Amino acid sequence: MYLSSRGGLLLLILIVCIFAVTALPDLYSQEEVVKAKSIGFEDTTIIEFENNDNTAEIDTFRIWLGSDTNFKSFKTEKGWTGEKTPQGVIVFTTSNPVQPGEVVKFGVKTDKPNPGINWKALADTDKQIAVGKTLVSVQSDVGSKSVVSTAGVGVFDSSSFRLIPEKPNVGANMRVTGDNFAANHKLDFYIGTKKIQSFETDGNGHFMFTSSVPKDEKADRVDFKIVDSEGNEKAISLRLGAETGITTQENISLTIVGIPSVVYRGEALKITGTGPPGKTVTATVKDENDKIITTLAVEIGLDGKWVYEGVVAADAPLGKRSSEITDGVNTLVRTWTVESSKKIEIIPTKQKFDPGETIIFNGTAKPNEQLEVVIEDPQGTEVYSKFLNIDSSGIVNIEFPTIQSSIEGTYVLFASQGDDIDIITVGLGELPEEKLIVKPDKLNYSTSEKALLEIKGPPSATVSLLIVDPSDKNKFSDTIILGPDGQTHYELDLKGYGSGVYTAVLSRANSQTSEVFSVGLQTGSGEINAKTTKTTYQPGESILILGNSAQNMLLTIELMDPDGKVVKTKDSFTNKDGIFSTDSFRVPLDAKDGTWTVHVKSGPNFDDVKISVQKSVEEGMTIYVDSVVPSTGGKIITLKGYGAAVSQLVIITVFSENDEEITELTIVSTKVGDFSTIWVADKTVAPGTYTIKAVDAHDEAETTLLLK
């Protein structure tokens, strides 16, 4: 059991909704759709949810605390599982949803007693039903329904009660709280000989209620009494203070402070104000079409002050909001705008483009700053990169032309300005698939830094993050819940990380992706030996750059045109064996003919590789890698070509970096000289650079493949 009996704890019940975050299916307040209450003892809290939505089956609850309180542990009912995210959110899920009218309970332990618990109820994992916040009340048995009694003794010798404040004034409000009275008993509260009100104790014999001193009482000594039906009483004799005129309900005006003109998704809000003590501030929130989104309520304290704390949901609809805020007498109106917290927002003009079309992206970024744009094809190869100068409007337009032979599948656009990154997917020839992506904000870090990983996957999905150290040992692992947009920022503390190259591995079910980063690497003094796999390239072709130098050394690689202008720069590093490679360089489509230079440098050392760029080449046979698709058995690689002898045998041979023959494939070309085949590279085929040669009766061709 989480709960046990103890007197002397204050009872405070407050149910509020999360701030104006998302429209509901109807106009009812969120408290009516899902009722929540939490009951606690010391550091343990039971939170109970009741599904009052006649149409929704709730299968997910998310709960989180304020910034100064943390979860220590949790328990669930049978059939539910719980998971705590790095952001401090506990996500409860089940395969047997809570039906309308049903109740589910969860237990949590926190580092501070009686916490306020924020919550969100979801159907089908990601469809929001309701959000809210509940504060703790004190009970001995969750969910029990006790019969209130008026018969028998209700006041004992051990009974006691007190007033808050201890010395009230005439006309003032006060709290009355007591313990060790009869459980579930109806009692009366007197001031002198006047019965002020009746109330009920809880299952522990505890009570707390709000009352006030009548204005016609004299500022003199008077008895405050708790009396049962048999005349037994417990009394406190106090001298009343004179009426001050500032604590009465009529003399504290309704005010509100803390609503900014713009609020952002995911932002924490603290709104305060004043009002008549003992009353309730109610806010009715509407969208820009004057449709009610939600209603929230906050109790005003005895000092005439009230506080609301909440978090704007990450999936809150954008746009203008207005709210009528009232204490029942006075009404205030406030307006604000919900905006995205993302500094970069770019989307494709459509989700699927056909080969040969130009893929177009539109959006906004931080004005008057340079935006770096990189596009990767379905094989993870960089096919486009550019720095865009964003003007004062912040408007972004990106156009990426494709050709009929472009690889079909999901393309990924990375847009970054400093630490801000946006990741966008789009499909060519098919709708984009939900890919796992992890992207460090830079290549090399010092041990005093925190690596910022941009992570993308299915909306609201749970993914696993694993960090592998330079010795191929697991260094760190965590479980992450993605936001409603499928994206999240993750800070990785690098304290205690030694110098070397690390791998961030992101996985979910049978899907997995990885990205490398380095810690503590420096530029070196070792000799650099660089090369490319070809000496002649056409515009648009990818350049595979390989080489070796001292181990664990930072490198800078530049591609320069015949005029010596740097058209692309990329940082890289050598691994523990001193090897480096990159396939992220591509000859620009508008490249001029001539001798281009690949410049590789580290510290005072460098090496230049000269390549020739020609817009037209002699006709002949061509072979290329069309796609690389991961499978349970390894990788399925589609090889295609053209220009072969018509309807003739084509022999394709795959060689390793050591010129060892890996496999030989045989295919017959078509009536126009095209050919296509598949190489299934099983798990015994190690990552590396492979040379693929095609030979027919009259000609031969080759290409390279960097297998990751």
Side-chain angles (χ1 to χ4, degrees), residues 383-662:
V383 293
Y384 177 93
S385 65
K386 197 169 185 179
F387 284 92
L388 304 177
N389 293 315
I390 308 303
D391 61 22
S392 58
S393 70
I395 295 174
V396 176
N397 176 260
I398 302 164
E399 296 187 1
F400 171 59
T402 68
I403 57 178
Q404 289 292 335
S405 59
S406 294
I407 301 173
E408 296 186 7
T410 301
Y411 285 70
V412 183
L413 182 146
F414 300 90
S416 60
Q417 288 179 309
D419 293 338
D420 297 308
I421 302 175
D422 197 15
I423 302 174
I424 307 97
T425 57
V426 66
L428 186 66
E430 60 186 50
L431 289 172
E433 62 181 14
E434 292 180 334
K435 299 184 67 172
L436 292 180
I437 301 169
V438 56
K439 198 78 171 178
D441 63 325
K442 60 181 182 177
L443 183 70
N444 185 60
Y445 302 88
S446 67
T447 55
S448 61
E449 289 185 287
K450 289 185 178 180
L452 179 61
L453 305 180
E454 190 72 18
I455 295 174
K456 185 173 178 64
S460 304
T462 299
V463 296
S464 298
L465 176 66
L466 174 67
I467 306 298
V468 180
D469 70 12
S471 302
D472 294 328
K473 295 180 180 179
N474 294 347
K475 175 72 174 179
F476 173 81
S477 63
D478 202 353
T479 300
I480 304 166
I481 295 180
L482 304 182
D485 60 352
Q487 202 161 323
T488 191
H489 304 279
Y490 187 88
E491 282 193 354
L492 178 66
D493 193 345
L494 300 177
K495 185 177 181 180
Y497 280 57
S499 178
V501 179
Y502 293 78
T503 303
V505 181
L506 192 70
S507 59
R508 177 177 183 263
N510 295 325
S511 300
Q512 182 174 291
T513 188
S514 63
E515 191 71 37
V516 295
F517 64 92
S518 62
V519 177
L521 298 193
Q522 305 292 326
T523 55
S525 57
E527 180 184 358
I528 299 173
N529 298 299
K531 64 178 182 178
T532 59
T533 55
K534 295 169 55 177
T535 58
T536 302
Y537 293 84
Q538 289 182 275
E541 273 196 279
S542 176
I543 305 172
L544 177 59
I545 303 168
L546 309 167
N548 62 79
S549 186
Q551 64 181 16
N552 294 333
M553 186 175 72
L554 281 178
L555 301 167
T556 299
I557 304 175
E558 298 175 335
L559 177 63
M560 292 183 255
D561 68 12
D563 299 327
K565 179 182 177 182
V566 176
V567 297
K568 182 178 175 63
T569 301
K570 182 179 177 64
D571 291 330
S572 186
F573 49 73
T574 59
N575 63 15
K576 59 185 177 182
D577 299 316
I579 305 297
F580 67 89
S581 66
T582 178
D583 61 352
S584 62
F585 283 81
R586 183 173 293 270
V587 180
L589 292 171
D590 58 353
K592 62 168 60 177
D593 286 354
T595 300
W596 289 57
T597 303
V598 176
H599 182 68
V600 184
K601 62 183 179 180
S602 181
N605 298 289
F606 68 90
D607 190 21
D608 287 338
V609 180
K610 302 295 182 179
I611 60 174
S612 177
V613 174
Q614 299 178 10
K615 292 182 181 177
S616 60
V617 296
E618 296 180 1
E619 291 186 2
M621 184 165 60
T622 298
I623 184 172
Y624 62 93
V625 178
D626 183 65
S627 65
V628 179
V629 179
S631 70
T632 55
K635 291 181 173 64
I636 300 174
I637 302 159
T638 302
L639 305 174
K640 292 184 179 181
Y642 55 88
V646 173
S647 301
Q648 295 292 315
L649 191 69
V650 179
I651 300 174
I652 300 173
T653 311
V654 181
F655 297 93
S656 70
E657 295 177 354
N658 301 322
D659 291 328
E660 176 186 355
E661 183 177 318
I662 302 300

Side-chain angles (χ1 to χ4, degrees), residues 289-307:
N289 297 317
D290 210 34
K291 179 181 178 180
I292 296 176
I293 297 175
T294 189
T295 300
L296 54 89
V298 181
E299 186 176 321
I300 304 172
L302 292 173
D303 57 357
K305 297 179 181 179
W306 58 269
V307 177

